[in-house]
Amino acid sequence: MDIDAPMSMAPLAGTAKTGATILCCNCGAPIDGTASAGALCYDCKLTEDGSIKSTVDISKGIPRDGVLNFCRDCDRWLSPPTTWVTAAPESRELLSLCLKRLRNLGKVRITDARFVWTEPHSRRIRVKITVQDSVSEGVLMQQSFEVVYVVASQQCRECAKSYTANTWRAVVQVRQKVQHKRTFLFLEQLILKHQAHRDTINIKEERDGIDFFFAQKNQADAFISFLKSVVPVNIRDSRHLISSDTHTGNKSYKFTYSVEIVPICREDLVALPLKLAKSIGNISPLVLCHRIGTSLNLLDPNTLQTADVNSDIFWRAPFHPLAGTPDLVEFIVMDIESTGIRKGKWLLSEATIARASDLGVNDKTYFVRTHLGNLLYPGDSVLGYLLDGGNFNSATFDAIEASRAYGSTIPDAVLVKKFYPNRRKNRKRVWKLKRMAKDDGDLLPKASDQEKMEADYETFLRDVEEDEELRAALALYKNTKKTKPQDADAMSIADTEMTGEDAGPRINMDELLDDFDELDIQDGEEVAAA
């Protein structure tokens, strides 16, 4: 072949095209550079079982440590930038907060995340995270790693504000103008059951009610909405200017809400205005209040007719009870006969009663109709209001007496509830109620006021034992306090006193809840062994 002869640059027929060849960065084997990602050969990418070697790190860029800010005063965690959230240890909320604090975690797919146990006092939280990502075409890699978070203490804005002079932004003043605290005791249990006081920064007890202090206005508005849903109230609000900025026009206020509960309580005797009695179903104007809810539930004990008075109707023309619980008189049932008329749990009956203080003195008896026919038997004690010979300072009751339609229907007495005279006052109960932590305020109660408060609380506990509907609305807990052992003779006397028929109703243990706040280590071991 002549060297000077021209040569064609076209590829020879039948010659295969080859790609660019490079060397593997791990072992130096020649590979196709156009099809190999990461400059690795097939043997270096995969092991014998087909899993990807540790030379590829898909979690690169994800930090292995972090910081979680925790407020010791309110037990809340900081969710940047300014939100504080409540999360229990090793909860889903806390795990979500931990994952949000990691950068570059959105570039991979999270398949699993769980807590790793650490010492509680170590102030460390360990989270094991499993991620998945594609390393080459058709090849997925899964990798697990641990992240250690340091729990740093930081005071939230609300708790820091509580230590300054401007501790609250809104206050809700709950008041009721009555002689006892039974309504507030019932309201306290509803608040505890529904955790409506969780946003309060302080609770102060006043002479006629309770003050609830809040750090934000919207928290006070939520609390007022709860009060509207459980009791009939009248709300008035006002605001006080704290500071203002003349340049921007921004102003800071303190808000005060006055919440007045209706002055009528459960088991009160009510004299309705004649016009109101006709407008709510033509009920008799002399009725009993048998329940307090979002409205007043009234009952006519002579006919078992019921009626409701909502908050708007009541505050349009307010009225006061004719007699309350302190005016109750003890009667003895001499004879009782059913009329056969029943409505729900009530049975209309006709009874002959005598005042307990008149026994052995005179033979005066009263003939009344009562709604307690299914509870009373001859010889039982019952509490009621004595109207015969009573002097009531009420213009509404005077109008009822002067009325042609209702003047002749006024009974001599109105029976309210069964009474258990043999019940011991300070007997040990197997159940208990929780109480709110309140500040007594500037005025400490006197000794007489303290005795009255204890008597009101004892009366409320007896109402809870006797009324199943009232008990269903509350949260009752088992009393786990261990009592001191007594003598055998003393125990036998106590058992004898409580084994009679008039010993009082008992609460079934199945209705009680376990109080985990007072559960110690030994109790926990006993429960686990059981």
Side-chain angles (χ1 to χ4, degrees):
M1 180 177 178
D2 191 359
I3 298 177
D4 295 333
M7 235 178 134
S8 175
M9 299 299 296
L12 298 177
T15 304
K17 297 181 180 180
T18 58
T21 302
I22 62 175
L23 301 179
C24 176
C25 64
N26 190 27
C27 63
I31 56 175
D32 187 2
T34 59
S36 297
L40 291 174
C41 64
Y42 184 80
D43 295 334
C44 293
K45 284 183 180 180
L46 301 179
T47 57
E48 295 179 357
D49 56 353
S51 60
I52 298 178
K53 281 188 174 182
S54 60
T55 54
V56 179
D57 187 9
I58 61 175
S59 64
K60 186 178 181 180
I62 301 176
R64 296 299 194 273
D65 53 8
V67 179
L68 294 177
N69 300 100
F70 177 72
C71 180
R72 295 182 178 181
D73 295 334
C74 60
D75 294 341
R76 293 189 299 175
W77 303 83
L78 176 62
S79 179
T82 59
T83 305
W84 290 85
V85 296
T86 302
E90 298 189 2
S91 62
R92 299 178 59 184
E93 293 79 8
L94 183 58
L95 182 61
S96 175
L97 182 62
C98 294
L99 297 180
K100 290 179 181 178
R101 299 301 299 269
L102 296 180
R103 301 186 306 271
N104 301 326
L105 195 60
K107 297 180 180 181
V108 294
R109 180 173 176 266
I110 303 175
T111 59
D112 187 24
R114 63 185 64 186
F115 289 100
V116 180
W117 185 86
T118 55
E119 292 288 344
H121 61 274
S122 64
R123 310 293 294 176
R124 299 292 188 273
I125 296 178
R126 301 172 66 92
V127 180
K128 183 178 181 181
I129 304 174
T130 304
V131 296
Q132 197 178 77
D133 195 14
S134 175
V135 295
S136 63
E137 185 178 357
V139 179
L140 291 177
M141 178 179 179
Q142 182 170 303
Q143 188 175 359
S144 299
F145 59 94
E146 290 187 2
V147 181
V148 180
Y149 296 89
V150 178
V151 180
S153 298
Q154 179 180 347
Q155 199 173 41
C156 66
R157 185 177 181 181
E158 290 78 8
C159 295
K161 190 176 181 180
S162 64
Y163 290 96
T164 61
N166 299 324
T167 57
W168 56 272
R169 183 55 59 89
V171 57
V172 180
Q173 300 174 345
V174 185
R175 299 290 185 269
Q176 187 184 31
K177 299 178 181 179
V178 292
Q179 300 178 358
H180 54 80
K181 295 281 188 179
R182 292 169 57 199
T183 303
F184 282 103
L185 293 173
F186 173 69
L187 183 61
E188 177 185 10
Q189 297 303 318
L190 293 180
I191 292 174
L192 288 172
K193 181 179 180 180
H194 299 280
Q195 294 293 316
H197 66 303
R198 60 183 178 272
D199 295 328
T200 58
I201 59 177
N202 190 18
I203 301 176
K204 183 181 293 185
E205 188 169 3
E206 298 295 339
R207 184 177 299 273
D208 295 330
I210 305 176
D211 292 346
F212 297 88
F213 296 90
F214 299 89
Q216 300 295 334
K217 179 178 178 295
N218 57 351
Q219 298 173 351
D221 294 336
F223 183 74
I224 291 175
S225 300
F226 170 77
L227 294 179
K228 288 181 179 179
S229 64
V230 293
V231 289
V233 295
N234 183 30
I235 301 173
R236 292 175 295 177
D237 60 335
S238 64
R239 60 182 181 177
H240 174 67
L241 179 63
I242 301 176
S243 61
S244 61
D245 190 347
T246 57
H247 299 285
T248 61
N250 296 330
K251 298 180 181 180
S252 179
Y253 291 94
K254 277 189 174 182
F255 300 89
T256 302
Y257 297 90
S258 176
V259 179
E260 184 178 358
I261 306 176
V262 293
I264 297 176
C265 303
R266 185 172 167 269
E267 299 175 353
D268 283 356
L269 182 64
V270 181
L272 296 174
L274 297 178
K275 185 177 180 181
L276 176 62
K278 292 180 180 179
S279 63
I280 59 176
N282 200 20
I283 193 174
S284 174
L286 197 63
V287 293
L288 280 174
C289 179
H290 69 90
R291 183 177 174 272
I292 296 290
T294 54
S295 61
L296 298 176
N297 303 126
L298 306 176
L299 168 68
D300 181 9
N302 292 323
T303 61
L304 300 186
Q305 183 181 355
T306 59
D308 296 338
V309 178
N310 58 33
S311 179
D312 296 336
I313 296 178
F314 177 85
W315 294 111
R316 198 178 303 158
F319 52 89
H320 291 80
L322 188 63
T325 305
D327 303 321
L328 289 173
V329 180
E330 182 181 354
F331 295 93
I332 302 297
V333 179
M334 311 302 294
D335 189 17
I336 187 169
E337 184 178 354
S338 173
T339 61
I341 301 176
R342 182 183 292 272
K343 186 174 183 180
K345 64 177 182 179
W346 299 311
L347 177 62
L348 186 62
S349 302
E350 296 177 347
T352 302
I353 59 175
R355 196 161 56 174
S357 59
D358 292 341
L359 294 180
V361 179
N362 54 53
D363 298 333
K364 188 174 183 180
T365 59
Y366 305 95
F367 181 78
V368 296
R369 305 188 77 182
T370 178
H371 61 291
L372 304 174
N374 57 339
L375 297 177
L376 299 180
Y377 298 94
D380 287 347
S381 298
V382 61
L383 296 179
Y385 299 106
L386 181 61
L387 304 181
D388 184 31
N391 186 12
F392 299 97
N393 187 13
S394 174
T396 306
F397 186 70
D398 295 340
I400 296 174
E401 287 182 327
S403 174
R404 294 182 179 180
Y406 303 106
S408 60
T409 61
I410 298 178
D412 296 334
V414 178
L415 303 184
V416 178
K417 62 179 180 179
K418 188 176 180 179
F419 181 59
Y420 302 91
N422 294 335
R423 181 192 303 185
R424 288 184 298 156
K425 183 178 180 180
N426 295 324
R427 66 186 180 91
K428 300 296 182 181
R429 292 183 171 90
V430 298
W431 58 276
K432 65 178 180 178
L433 295 174
K434 289 187 176 181
R435 303 296 303 273
M436 283 193 306
K438 299 186 291 292
D439 185 6
D440 294 334
D442 299 333
L443 298 176
L444 295 177
K446 300 179 181 179
S448 59
D449 296 338
Q450 187 68 26
E451 293 178 358
K452 186 176 182 300
M453 293 170 60
E454 293 177 359
D456 291 340
Y457 187 65
E458 177 66 24
T459 304
F460 177 72
L461 294 180
R462 293 185 178 184
D463 293 340
V464 172
E465 289 177 337
E466 298 171 4
D467 193 346
E468 294 183 1
E469 294 183 359
L470 178 62
R471 199 160 58 239
L474 308 180
L476 278 66
Y477 296 89
K478 296 179 181 178
N479 192 1
T480 57
K481 292 183 178 180
K482 298 180 180 180
T483 58
K484 296 181 180 180
Q486 300 179 357
D487 297 337
D489 296 338
M491 290 295 291
S492 62
I493 294 174
D495 294 341
T496 304
E497 290 178 356
M498 298 303 296
T499 52
E501 295 181 356
D502 294 336
R506 297 295 185 91
I507 296 180
N508 192 357
M509 292 294 291
D510 296 337
E511 303 179 23
L512 305 181
L513 303 174
D514 290 323
D515 187 8
F516 292 100
D517 294 340
E518 297 185 358
L519 189 65
D520 54 8
I521 298 177
Q522 296 180 358
D523 295 337
E525 293 177 355
E526 293 177 359
V527 173

